[in-house]
Amino acid sequence: MRKSVVLPAAAVMLAAVALLLPLRGQEAVAEEAHAFVNVVDLEISPASMPRFLAALKDDGAATIKEAGTQEFVSSVAQKDKNHVFIFEVFNDSAAWDAHQKTTTYAKFLGITMMMIKTYAIRPFTSYALKKSSAPAPQADPPLLLNLDEVDVVDGQIDKFKAAAMTHAVASVQDPGCREFDIVVSQTKSNHVLMLSAFDAAAALEAHQASDHYKAYMAATKSIISMSTAMPLSSVAVLTK
């Protein structure tokens, strides 16, 4: 689960320097043939949000150009306008390590470190990263991102992942669903995060009324011990 760190102003710089160091050991080992996913939650000082988001957009634009980056998703919680959620997909942990050593990343930290009130960084391994094959809208409004996190009952993770995979494959066929990602925590093997992206709230509502959504809920209801959901608005969804 996420572990929040409260940063007094004097400690922010030390924390930012620590972020530059590559993760090692269990927290950074991604399984072969699966992507390394870095999930970041941040609370930003309200007065700093416009400047932080501008810096975040620049950071994302540079990060997606790195050879080892597959996707960079940045967003803001709809119910807490100072909560920023970042979902970064790298080929492997080595690509994440290399990213942390770039001048772009160092510049981003230098600009934003005094704007950050709290942060939590969590390593995940991808299980499914599904994208819609439908043409994207010509306009580029913010997407509605639906973030679901669940703890699965011990011994039931394989059953859950199978049901979630079937659901993800069907979901990206739904009108207005742009992607559906399933990732598993590297520090808690029964913790799963699912991130789905929709053109608008109506598309999410239709998705949640679908037969495959109802089948997923029925199949997993008895094997989920904890579930949280958070609606987000995208800042940028950058993919290769």
Side-chain angles (χ1 to χ4, degrees), residues 139-150:
D140 189 24
L143 295 178
L144 169 61
L145 306 182
N146 194 50
L147 175 65
D148 289 308
E149 298 200 47
V150 302

Side-chain angles (χ1 to χ4, degrees), residues 20-104:
L20 289 170
L21 299 176
L23 295 171
R24 297 296 179 189
Q26 180 185 14
E27 290 188 350
V29 178
E31 296 176 9
E32 290 185 6
H34 293 280
F36 178 91
V37 179
N38 187 52
V39 167
V40 187
D41 289 275
L42 305 117
E43 288 294 333
I44 308 302
S45 298
S48 299
M49 275 298 288
R51 288 180 294 139
F52 182 89
L53 293 180
L56 182 60
K57 287 182 178 180
D58 290 342
D59 180 60
T63 300
I64 196 63
K65 295 177 182 178
E66 295 171 19
T69 306
Q70 296 183 21
E71 183 169 23
F72 186 98
V73 177
S74 55
S75 59
V76 175
Q78 293 189 355
K79 295 181 180 179
D80 179 359
K81 300 301 184 181
N82 302 313
H83 183 103
V84 174
F85 178 82
I86 303 171
F87 183 90
E88 302 172 289
V89 183
F90 297 90
N91 291 345
D92 48 33
S93 60
W96 161 238
D97 288 349
H99 166 68
Q100 292 181 96
K101 297 172 184 176
T102 61
T103 55
T104 297

Side-chain angles (χ1 to χ4, degrees), residues 1-230:
M1 293 299 298
R2 66 169 60 86
K3 181 180 179 181
S4 295
V5 180
V6 180
L7 298 177
V12 177
M13 183 172 294
L14 291 177
V17 172
L19 290 181
L20 289 170
L21 299 176
L23 295 171
R24 297 296 179 189
Q26 180 185 14
E27 290 188 350
V29 178
E31 296 176 9
E32 290 185 6
H34 293 280
F36 178 91
V37 179
N38 187 52
V39 167
V40 187
D41 289 275
L42 305 117
E43 288 294 333
I44 308 302
S45 298
S48 299
M49 275 298 288
R51 288 180 294 139
F52 182 89
L53 293 180
L56 182 60
K57 287 182 178 180
D58 290 342
D59 180 60
T63 300
I64 196 63
K65 295 177 182 178
E66 295 171 19
T69 306
Q70 296 183 21
E71 183 169 23
F72 186 98
V73 177
S74 55
S75 59
V76 175
Q78 293 189 355
K79 295 181 180 179
D80 179 359
K81 300 301 184 181
N82 302 313
H83 183 103
V84 174
F85 178 82
I86 303 171
F87 183 90
E88 302 172 289
V89 183
F90 297 90
N91 291 345
D92 48 33
S93 60
W96 161 238
D97 288 349
H99 166 68
Q100 292 181 96
K101 297 172 184 176
T102 61
T103 55
T104 297
Y105 186 62
K107 178 181 177 181
F108 172 71
L109 289 178
I111 293 172
T112 64
M113 60 185 176
M114 298 305 294
M115 306 176 189
I116 300 170
K117 295 175 65 177
T118 67
Y119 73 88
I121 299 177
R122 297 178 288 156
F124 286 78
T125 299
S126 69
Y127 178 66
L129 301 172
K130 300 298 182 182
K131 302 289 189 295
S132 172
S133 59
Q138 291 184 348
D140 189 24
L143 295 178
L144 169 61
L145 306 182
N146 194 50
L147 175 65
D148 289 308
E149 298 200 47
V150 302
D151 282 346
V152 181
V153 173
D154 289 344
Q156 298 296 318
I157 189 65
D158 289 339
K159 179 179 178 181
F160 177 85
K161 288 196 295 185
M165 174 67 84
T166 299
H167 179 48
V169 171
S171 294
V172 292
Q173 304 301 316
D174 291 342
C177 180
R178 293 293 143 197
E179 68 178 270
F180 198 110
D181 302 324
I182 306 168
V183 298
V184 180
S185 172
Q186 292 189 10
T187 59
K188 187 177 181 181
S189 60
N190 69 326
H191 184 74
V192 181
L193 181 153
M194 293 173 289
L195 183 68
S196 49
F198 298 86
D199 289 339
L204 173 60
E205 292 171 3
H207 160 79
Q208 292 176 334
S210 66
D211 289 341
H212 65 81
Y213 179 84
K214 294 174 183 177
Y216 159 76
M217 295 295 289
T220 61
K221 181 178 180 180
S222 65
I223 60 173
I224 293 177
S225 60
M226 183 284 300
S227 177
T228 62
M230 182 188 300

